[in-house]
Amino acid sequence: MGRVKSIQARLLTWECTMTFDEIPALETLESLFESEFPRTCRRLQENGGFYRIWHMVSFNSSEGRRSRFLVALVEEPLEKCSGRVLPEQIWLLAVADQIIRALPESDNAGNYLCYAHAEGRLFVFVFFEGRLCHWSEEAVEMEKALPRFRRFLQRDALFSRVGHFEELHLQGESGPDFVRAQFKKASRDSFWRRRDLQRVEMNEKNGLERWPEMLHFLRRKRFWLMAVVLMTLLGRWLKEEPFLNAENPVPVELSLPPEWMAPEEPREKSSKVVPVKDVALSKCKLPDFFLKGVVAEKLAVVNFASESGETRALSVGDSLETFVLRTVGREGVKLVCGDSVVEKKVGVREP
């Protein structure tokens, strides 16, 4: 995980509400936060400090889609270092995690109210279904603040869905070496191991910003998945068809026309004009067949209308009676017999 450094920072929980189909960008979140806390943001800017917004949880309510964020306020300029930088008070999370793991099995489904009094402040954080969903810290007396916070849990739109929060009072050893060791453990937590106050990567600004990229990725994956499935089904279908093992039909030998002889008596000239196309068609024969499909614009899968219902795969140059398969396209084929051209489309049965 590399080196990690602790600095002084304040942590608080901030909530914003959007429409159900809206995915706020970081710029939108920053604008909303600065409009809600103008004096705090102005003070940070004047002192060279900054803030970071990290997504914790989102849920639906009657007002819309609510999202809660953990906000870190850094009052002074941050010196660059080679490792990561995190708020020092996160060591309390490691202590809470250690206590929770040592507890006997319970049926509270990972819902805990944790609090500790350290450095003249009361730290309160809540795990909802095993996930960090609230953090607050105030310079207040614990005896007065906790009853008020318990009432907040009962009225809150998210936490009121839970019947009981098991309370954990974090107290005991808090020496420098102990705090440092717990801080390193907390920095490897699933929530903190990708966080760094020094930088704000695109996917790290808030969890909601990852959804557009994920949706685009899923759309691409869905396209290729469908392509693979179709190719697999086509391969199985072709493998099961018996015509793949059939040899190309032997070209039909055309009989020579009878030798022309001059008539003994002149015949009356017919008043009916026979089109050249009809004359050509009278010499060409094409069996009745149905074009089932084409494969890679190279093979034409045909089914004959005879009683046997034979199915064959023909390639360019193969013959059907006196016609020769000239081209295979996406939508159909062309057959040629002399000057006659016949087109057949895939899946079209001619009357």
Side-chain angles (χ1 to χ4, degrees):
M1 297 300 296
R3 297 172 55 189
V4 58
K5 177 184 177 182
S6 64
I7 66 167
Q8 292 185 356
R10 289 186 58 196
L11 297 178
L12 59 92
T13 301
W14 174 62
E15 178 184 284
C16 69
T17 304
M18 298 288 179
T19 57
F20 290 104
D21 57 348
E22 185 176 1
I23 302 176
L26 178 65
E27 292 75 11
T28 303
L29 294 174
E30 290 177 342
S31 178
L32 292 173
F33 182 79
E34 292 175 4
S35 63
E36 190 171 343
F37 302 96
R39 290 186 296 177
T40 299
C41 296
R42 186 167 54 251
R43 185 185 69 251
L44 293 176
Q45 185 177 8
E46 293 174 352
N47 297 336
F50 59 92
Y51 64 90
R52 294 285 185 262
I53 301 177
W54 296 313
H55 178 257
M56 289 193 296
V57 65
S58 296
F59 59 96
N60 293 332
S61 66
S62 58
E63 295 81 6
R65 183 71 172 172
R66 292 190 181 185
S67 298
R68 291 181 179 176
F69 302 88
L70 182 64
V71 181
L73 306 178
V74 182
E75 298 286 345
E76 299 179 355
L78 186 63
E79 297 181 0
K80 293 184 179 180
C81 65
S82 57
R84 293 188 299 141
V85 178
L86 294 174
E88 60 182 0
Q89 60 266 46
I90 68 171
W91 69 272
L92 293 169
L93 293 171
V95 176
D97 179 72
Q98 184 176 352
I99 296 176
I100 292 173
R101 293 179 184 274
L103 292 175
E105 295 184 2
S106 61
D107 57 352
N108 70 332
N111 301 305
Y112 295 96
L113 166 61
C114 306
Y115 57 92
H117 196 275
E119 301 175 359
R121 288 181 292 174
L122 175 63
F123 297 88
V124 179
F125 47 97
V126 178
F127 291 100
F128 177 76
E129 297 180 351
R131 181 177 181 178
L132 179 65
C133 292
H134 179 89
W135 184 290
S136 61
E137 49 189 61
E138 300 177 85
V140 295
E141 296 181 5
M142 185 170 58
E143 292 75 11
K144 294 182 179 180
L146 282 179
R148 184 178 71 242
F149 195 84
R150 294 188 184 103
R151 291 192 296 270
F152 160 74
L153 293 179
Q154 296 174 357
R155 298 191 302 265
D156 182 71
L158 177 64
F159 298 142
S160 60
R161 303 175 185 180
V162 177
H164 171 67
F165 281 89
E166 187 168 348
E167 297 188 8
L168 299 178
H169 183 193
L170 311 182
Q171 55 184 341
E173 186 179 356
S174 60
D177 295 337
F178 176 80
V179 170
R180 180 61 183 173
Q182 298 301 316
F183 172 80
K184 288 185 177 181
K185 290 182 181 179
S187 68
R188 296 190 292 267
D189 178 76
S190 59
F191 181 84
W192 293 104
R193 62 187 175 190
R194 295 190 181 94
R195 310 296 178 188
D196 187 357
L197 288 170
Q198 294 184 105
R199 66 179 186 273
V200 183
E201 299 176 1
M202 190 63 183
N203 288 346
E204 296 292 332
K205 291 179 180 179
N206 61 78
L208 298 181
E209 285 194 345
R210 303 180 64 179
W211 281 105
E213 298 178 8
M214 292 176 64
L215 291 175
H216 179 64
F217 173 78
L218 290 175
R219 282 194 292 265
R220 292 174 55 191
K221 293 286 287 185
R222 182 174 59 183
F223 170 79
W224 289 111
L225 180 60
M226 292 178 62
V228 171
V229 171
L230 290 175
M231 292 300 294
T232 303
L233 293 176
L234 179 61
R236 291 181 178 178
W237 176 70
L238 293 176
K239 186 177 180 180
E240 295 173 357
E241 288 293 333
F243 61 78
L244 287 183
N245 298 324
E247 298 180 357
N248 289 336
V250 179
V252 179
E253 295 182 1
L254 303 179
S255 59
L256 297 176
E259 185 179 355
W260 181 84
M261 297 180 61
E264 297 179 357
E265 296 181 358
R267 298 180 180 179
E268 296 182 0
K269 189 174 182 180
S270 174
S271 60
K272 181 179 180 181
V273 179
V274 180
V276 177
K277 182 177 180 182
D278 292 342
V279 175
L281 286 175
S282 65
K283 298 180 181 179
C284 298
K285 296 181 180 180
L286 183 66
D288 186 12
F289 70 92
F290 170 66
L291 182 59
K292 296 178 62 176
V294 296
V295 181
E297 300 184 23
K298 293 183 179 180
L299 292 178
V301 183
V302 299
N303 178 261
F304 294 96
S306 61
E307 295 181 358
S308 61
E310 182 183 4
T311 301
R312 294 181 185 175
L314 306 177
S315 59
V316 176
D318 292 341
S319 301
L320 286 176
E321 293 280 349
T322 60
F323 280 82
V324 178
L325 183 62
R326 176 62 55 85
T327 61
V328 179
R330 292 183 178 179
E331 300 180 355
V333 298
K334 288 184 179 180
L335 300 104
V336 178
C337 174
D339 296 334
S340 301
V341 179
V342 175
E343 296 185 1
K344 285 276 190 177
K345 291 188 177 296
V346 177
V348 176
R349 295 186 182 271
E350 297 181 358

